[in-house]
Amino acid sequence: MPKPTLPGQERYVAPIDETPLAAVDSVQVDEAPASQWKEAWKQLRKNPMFWVSSVLLTILTIIIIAPGLFTNADPRFCELSNSLGPAEAGHPFGFDKQGCDVWARTLYGARASVAVGVLTTLVVALLGGLTGALAGFKGGLSDTFISRVSDIFFAIPLLLAAIVCLSAVNNWFPDRGFWGGVLAVVAALGLFGWPQITRIMRGSVLEVKNYEFVDAARAIGASNQRNLWRHIVPNAISPVIVTSTVSLGIFIVAEATLSFLGLGLPFSVVSWGNDISSAQELVRSGTSLNVMFVPVTALVLTVLSFILLGDSVRDALDPKARKR
Amino acid sequence: MSLQPLLEVRDLDVSFYSDKKAIPAVRGANLTVYPGQTVAIVGESGSGKSTTAHAIIGLLPGTGKIVGGEIIFDGKDIAHSSKKGFQALRGDQIGLVPQDPMTNLNPLWRVGDQIKEALVANDIAKGSDADRRVLALLEEAGLGDVERRARQYPHEFSGGMRQRALIAMGLAARPKLLIADEPTSALDVTVQKQILDHLDGLTDELGTAVLLITHDLGLAAERADHIVVMYRGSIVESGPALEILKNPEHPYTRRLVSSAPSIASQRLSSVKAREEVRQQAVQTAGEIAAEIATAEGVVGKGENEIIVVDGLTKVFMLPGDRPWRKTELRAVDDVSFSLRRGTTTAIVGESGSGKSTVARMVLGLLKPTAGTVLFDGYDTAQLKGKRQMALRRQMQPVFQNPYASLDPMYSIYKSIEEPLETHKIGSAKEREAKVRDLLDKVSLPTSLMRRYPNELSGGQRQRVAIARALALEPEVVVLDEAVSALDVLVQAQILELLNDLQAEMGLSYLFITHDLAVVRQIADDVLVMQNGKVVEAASVNEVFDNPGESYTRRLLDAIPGRDLLTTA
């Protein structure tokens, strides 16, 4: 029963030269192939966030290695006669209440603050990443055990727990020196900081575990260990990288808070936290903003550069995020 | 019939903008829909068919823009309507049945409330009046026990029921035009047939015009009066449905017609070619078997039946209604079959039939509750350590989803090399030569080696997955829906590749699929599964020409467009 053709629905065939047929399923392979690292570097180079953060972090690294390059003043040479003195030659940001050079203290303080931030982040990422990966991969009893233990630690507020731990440590070892002080803070923050990473890693592994490429690897005879470390973890790690770079800032701030409470680094250690805490009183009484401004700015810039760097490195290393 | 077109699309150009660069998605598209008519747009993924539909209903994503042409709906140009204008149009003038029934219903809302929203938003009905309309609509969409259904949540519905609910929603405000965007692609064939039959009846009754978007030419030809074929953003051919199917003129349409499994599988030539492939494969396999019988380090006795499955059963224990109770789910129930060396056995079934569970048990990825899998005379469950590793070498899988089956962090080279490295085969140099050889076998350029899976198309990834499976020179390849996610043309190519490889290497395939149409192109024996049981087991020709079970017949009848070329 042929129906009459309606206007607008006549038979139409496009001229062939207008829509040339490509080979079925072709994808252009024009650029020269690059290795993963080259590809990541190409990606990074284009990212202004990466440049800003890496320049800032390079400066920070130089400051940590050789703070003396940027100032001639001694952070521990304090004269009360200089108390709250204004800026003068060789002392660009003036003096704090004790008469110490603000700029020098901030430069020398970077070492302790960054050490606490980086070390705590590493401890937390390792502890949380391992436990999370095991819980997600093994499932069953190990999962239940790890998850419940992490829930218990999760329920305890980070700062409160660190305060309790550190005040005990302060009682037993009142004078711990630089590394003793730093490690005590790292241990306290690390002990209570990992459950967050555990949860993230566990969820991420649970998702990746179900992908078919994991089954394919099992079918070629790859062991569980190989599967976990070569296939699952690399694909599951990127949320951990992001959370870790953000929490790096949080840990530096936590150190500052603890030091402010007099529990973090011993007062003999020059650190941003100690400086900010002692400057707090001056801000409250309205005496001087300047003394607080310098270490706070340093803290903010450091935290920000770590976050930006983490973000851009993750984007560059993840081939999934790379677009053609 | 009124001669006033309901929808006229004239020279439509749609572009997507990324980084301020315009990427044309649709170029100069023309199409006309008359009231009450069904018009189908057919194309592969990326052809612009969905983009055209979304432009008509004003649902282009934020980066998409109509850059030229007009869309005349009911006498008015709506191409440049405001958001408000489209809002007024959507629902009561143009309805939409979206693609994926699993994600298009809000899981937190009762189904009835979601349909009611469609009524209230279009000022059709309010309050208890709307509630009554909802029940009527659900009944109309073919759902029974509507009062209970309306109070249920989407997760309590099956895929087919959800799609019915979405149809009820699309038709709630009695639109003049219903856009159905791949409405049944996610559903089993028998359900697809039911839903489309119902939709046909319903739109006929209401006089609704339907714009059907689909990748399946057979389905389009069966359901539509007029077909528009799109390729790379342009319309390459359009005309009356049967005419296009019978005399395709544009080379692309010709390619499409000859590749569509539902239509092509009727051709005897492919069956004949298959016969030759088979004979050669059996011969090669025989030679290999003779070698294996005397070789060391491989599992096997060189038997004619390389896999013998006997009484295979898998019971999953699911949490019951109380914490201490468990309910049993018998996913696979007493399945027995054998796979002859150098041949292909297909396991066909709809979702939930247990076909993939069988595949996973054969592969040793899942432990059977009962029953045995013999690989070349050895019980796979008894093999330990070294022998188990050897077994893994001899049996390899290719999975369905080409996007999930390759590790995105591994380059193509590393993906294919991994099996060699795991089994410590060859030096680095030898392995590289082997990878090059494998890429060549699956017809991929070696320049692809350093690329990552996300840079490849679906078909290319599936070729990589096949190359990886072949790296260890297996005797059996388990193909779990290995071509189901691919566009028809690519699918046809991969099937051809599999056929060639079988002839060349004497491979035996266990081919798991939901698509009976594909089976004829590749399989020798067929196993039809339903609810974990084998309902029919026979040779391909027997199953197609003389199906013994009513379920098999239902599956065959549901292949869209199956009779169009033979009877007409």
Side-chain angles (χ1 to χ4, degrees):
Chain A
M1 25 108 227
K3 276 189 243 165
T5 308
L6 298 164
Q9 294 196 333
E10 297 86 5
R11 185 70 188 270
Y12 164 81
V13 181
I16 290 152
D17 50 334
E18 253 178 44
T19 46
L21 283 195
V24 174
D25 196 34
S26 68
V27 162
Q28 285 176 311
V29 185
D30 38 12
E31 299 156 45
S35 75
Q36 187 183 9
W37 293 105
K38 260 191 202 155
E39 197 61 36
W41 172 237
K42 245 170 73 186
Q43 200 76 12
L44 271 180
R45 254 187 341 201
K46 283 187 284 185
N47 194 342
M49 263 174 23
F50 167 73
W51 287 114
V52 172
S53 56
S54 49
V55 165
L56 283 172
L57 288 178
T58 310
I59 297 173
L60 184 72
T61 314
I62 298 172
I63 289 175
I64 288 169
I65 295 168
L69 287 177
F70 299 86
T71 179
N72 291 320
D74 182 347
R76 288 190 188 78
F77 180 78
C78 310
E79 275 191 82
L80 272 175
S81 60
N82 283 334
S83 179
L84 294 176
E88 56 183 67
H91 307 280
F93 292 96
F95 300 88
D96 67 8
K97 201 173 179 186
Q98 305 297 321
C100 315
D101 179 276
V102 171
W103 178 231
R105 281 194 69 90
T106 304
L107 290 173
Y108 282 85
R111 195 175 288 178
S113 296
V114 173
V116 166
V118 171
L119 288 178
T120 314
T121 305
L122 282 179
V123 166
V124 165
L126 271 177
L127 214 60
L130 272 176
T131 49
L134 282 182
F137 186 68
K138 296 245 169 191
L141 264 180
S142 342
D143 181 22
T144 314
F145 178 74
I146 293 175
S147 294
R148 292 297 84 78
V149 171
S150 77
D151 280 349
I152 291 168
F153 276 87
F154 208 52
I156 306 170
L158 176 69
L159 265 180
L160 190 65
I163 287 169
V164 173
C165 286
L166 287 173
S167 48
V169 173
N170 274 345
N171 274 341
W172 298 328
F173 311 100
D175 192 24
R176 305 190 294 278
F178 179 83
W179 284 110
V182 167
L183 289 182
V185 175
V186 168
L189 290 175
L191 186 60
F192 296 94
W194 60 272
Q196 190 197 9
I197 303 284
T198 305
R199 283 193 169 191
I200 292 168
M201 190 67 182
R202 176 177 171 271
S204 193
V205 165
L206 276 178
E207 191 194 326
V208 173
K209 183 167 90 157
N210 286 323
Y211 282 138
E212 284 171 345
F213 64 79
V214 178
D215 270 347
R218 279 178 66 197
I220 62 169
S223 61
N224 274 348
Q225 289 297 322
R226 185 188 168 92
N227 231 329
L228 178 61
W229 299 115
R230 298 284 188 90
H231 288 289
I232 299 176
V233 167
N235 277 288
I237 201 111
S238 75
V240 171
I241 294 180
V242 179
T243 321
S244 297
T245 50
V246 176
S247 55
L248 191 138
I250 294 173
F251 292 134
I252 295 185
V253 176
E255 177 266 313
T257 314
L258 289 171
S259 300
F260 168 65
L261 294 171
L263 291 164
L265 300 172
F267 212 76
S268 59
V269 174
V270 184
S271 85
W272 293 341
N274 276 334
D275 282 4
I276 293 169
S277 71
S278 51
Q280 188 109 354
E281 186 198 334
L282 300 173
V283 174
R284 239 183 320 180
S285 59
T287 329
S288 167
L289 275 174
N290 190 26
V291 178
M292 183 146 186
F293 179 77
V294 181
V296 165
T297 311
L299 177 64
V300 167
L301 282 179
T302 306
V303 171
L304 210 62
S305 359
F306 273 114
I307 291 176
L308 288 181
L309 185 75
D311 255 11
S312 43
V313 168
R314 176 208 45 165
D315 287 351
L317 271 182
D318 187 353
K320 283 171 282 187
R322 242 182 264 152
K323 59 179 179 212
R324 260 200 74 73
Chain B
M1 187 186 283
S2 132
L3 276 178
Q4 204 55 39
L6 176 67
L7 173 76
E8 272 188 283
V9 175
R10 294 273 160 264
D11 300 322
L12 181 73
D13 285 320
V14 181
S15 286
F16 286 97
Y17 288 85
S18 91
D19 292 340
K20 286 174 192 155
K21 262 192 296 186
I23 300 156
V26 176
R27 279 170 303 198
N30 285 299
L31 67 101
T32 311
V33 182
Y34 284 89
Q37 220 183 14
T38 301
V39 171
I41 305 182
V42 184
E44 297 174 66
S45 48
S47 63
K49 56 184 194 305
S50 284
T51 308
T52 309
H54 286 145
I56 292 167
I57 198 169
L59 284 178
L60 285 174
T63 52
K65 259 205 190 93
I66 298 178
V67 287
E70 44 193 12
I71 299 169
I72 299 160
F73 180 78
D74 221 4
K76 271 184 300 206
D77 184 7
I78 58 169
H80 303 287
S81 291
S82 60
K83 266 189 188 166
K84 272 250 166 71
F86 268 121
Q87 245 167 43
L89 219 56
R90 286 199 286 261
D92 54 350
Q93 300 288 320
I94 307 178
L96 176 74
V97 179
Q99 181 165 11
D100 185 359
M102 299 304 168
T103 57
N104 274 299
L105 286 167
N106 184 339
L108 297 180
W109 279 35
R110 290 174 204 275
V111 173
D113 291 341
Q114 302 194 42
I115 299 172
K116 189 172 162 187
E117 198 197 12
L119 292 168
V120 175
N122 287 299
D123 293 323
I124 306 285
K126 271 195 190 112
S128 59
D129 186 28
D131 288 333
R132 273 195 300 280
R133 286 290 293 273
V134 167
L135 297 185
L137 281 165
L138 283 173
E139 191 133 24
E140 187 185 274
L143 286 167
D145 197 5
V146 288
E147 287 193 26
R148 195 166 63 91
R149 292 286 175 226
R151 281 197 309 273
Q152 283 182 325
Y153 288 92
H155 72 264
E156 298 171 84
F157 276 41
S158 70
M161 285 158 69
R162 290 184 211 200
Q163 199 56 323
R164 284 175 192 273
L166 284 167
I167 289 173
M169 222 183 278
L171 289 172
R174 298 286 178 248
K176 292 179 187 156
L177 175 68
L178 185 71
I179 296 180
D181 187 1
E182 303 262 14
T184 53
S185 304
L187 304 176
D188 285 327
V189 273
T190 51
V191 183
Q192 161 170 305
K193 187 172 154 63
Q194 281 171 18
I195 300 253
L196 289 178
D197 284 349
H198 193 84
L199 185 65
D200 273 357
L202 209 57
T203 48
D204 274 356
E205 202 176 289
L206 299 170
T208 314
V210 178
L211 184 61
L212 179 68
I213 316 293
T214 178
H215 65 278
D216 187 340
L217 189 60
L219 184 111
E222 192 178 70
R223 303 285 167 180
D225 311 299
H226 181 80
I227 289 186
V228 175
V229 181
M230 287 191 80
Y231 174 64
R232 302 208 157 186
S234 306
I235 291 174
V236 293
E237 189 159 359
S238 67
L242 269 181
E243 219 173 285
I244 296 243
L245 204 60
K246 278 192 216 150
N247 315 300
E249 281 180 24
H250 195 277
Y252 176 72
T253 325
R254 269 191 226 148
R255 224 188 234 176
L256 211 56
V257 170
S258 67
S259 304
S262 53
I263 311 163
S265 51
Q266 297 294 315
R267 303 259 164 82
L268 279 171
S269 64
S270 65
V271 175
K272 196 177 151 225
R274 172 91 206 110
E275 201 53 49
E276 281 167 22
V277 163
R278 217 187 80 74
Q279 276 171 8
Q280 205 182 335
V282 171
Q283 197 190 335
T284 322
E287 286 160 19
I288 292 173
E291 249 173 66
I292 283 172
T294 54
E296 296 226 341
V298 276
V299 179
K301 297 176 175 166
E303 297 195 356
N304 189 34
E305 293 190 330
I306 191 154
I307 287 184
V308 179
V309 168
D310 186 38
L312 205 58
T313 301
K314 180 72 197 181
V315 178
F316 289 107
M317 299 303 275
L318 302 178
D321 48 358
R322 311 264 163 79
W324 56 89
R325 263 190 222 160
K326 304 254 188 226
T327 49
E328 280 191 357
L329 175 74
R330 218 161 251 276
V332 173
D333 194 2
D334 195 16
V335 169
S336 304
F337 67 92
S338 61
L339 171 60
R340 287 174 291 143
R341 221 174 249 284
T343 70
T344 302
T345 295
I347 303 182
V348 185
E350 299 188 286
S351 49
S353 63
K355 57 187 191 303
S356 285
T357 314
V358 170
R360 291 174 60 86
M361 284 192 285
V362 170
L363 281 166
L365 294 175
L366 199 66
K367 235 179 121 181
T369 312
T372 53
V373 178
L374 294 184
F375 182 89
D376 209 0
Y378 287 97
D379 187 346
T380 54
Q382 306 295 325
L383 294 175
K384 297 258 149 49
K386 256 200 178 140
R387 307 208 65 147
Q388 197 187 19
M389 282 289 266
L391 174 72
R392 292 247 194 251
R393 284 183 62 169
Q394 285 162 273
M395 188 154 55
Q396 284 294 306
V398 176
F399 292 107
Q400 170 173 17
N401 187 344
Y403 293 91
S405 62
L406 297 176
D407 187 334
M409 307 291 273
Y410 273 39
S411 69
I412 301 309
Y413 177 76
K414 235 174 129 194
S415 285
I416 302 177
E417 191 211 15
E418 196 194 7
L420 299 170
E421 200 204 324
T422 312
H423 288 268
K424 305 203 169 57
I425 296 172
S427 64
K429 261 235 171 76
E430 284 163 2
R431 288 204 290 264
E432 183 171 335
K434 177 90 190 172
V435 172
R436 282 174 190 278
D437 179 48
L438 284 165
L439 281 170
D440 193 50
K441 270 211 171 75
V442 297
S443 322
L444 285 176
T446 42
S447 58
L448 238 53
M449 260 177 9
R450 309 274 165 225
R451 310 216 153 252
Y452 285 84
N454 68 317
E455 299 173 77
L456 269 52
S457 69
Q460 287 177 326
R461 289 182 201 209
Q462 208 59 316
R463 282 168 192 269
V464 173
I466 292 172
R468 176 179 56 187
L470 295 180
L472 296 170
E473 293 171 3
E475 290 163 77
V476 176
V477 179
V478 178
L479 300 147
D480 189 357
E481 299 271 15
V483 295
S484 309
L486 306 173
D487 282 324
V488 275
L489 293 182
V490 182
Q491 187 179 29
Q493 277 192 340
I494 298 282
L495 285 173
E496 206 173 297
L497 173 71
L498 289 171
N499 263 335
D500 292 348
L501 290 171
Q502 184 165 47
E504 195 185 320
M505 306 171 73
L507 297 169
S508 317
Y509 291 146
L510 187 60
F511 193 90
I512 316 292
T513 183
H514 68 278
D515 189 352
L516 206 45
V518 174
V519 167
R520 183 161 234 182
Q521 291 173 305
I522 184 130
D524 302 291
D525 298 298
V526 184
L527 219 62
V528 181
M529 282 186 73
Q530 186 188 19
N531 297 331
K533 289 200 174 78
V534 176
V535 294
E536 183 158 3
S539 76
V540 169
N541 291 335
E542 249 174 90
V543 166
F544 273 81
D545 301 336
N546 191 15
E549 289 291 319
S550 63
Y551 179 69
T552 315
R553 271 199 293 279
R554 276 222 313 279
L555 279 179
L556 281 170
D557 287 342
I559 298 175
R562 177 169 184 257
D563 301 325
L564 286 175
L565 277 182
T566 43
T567 55

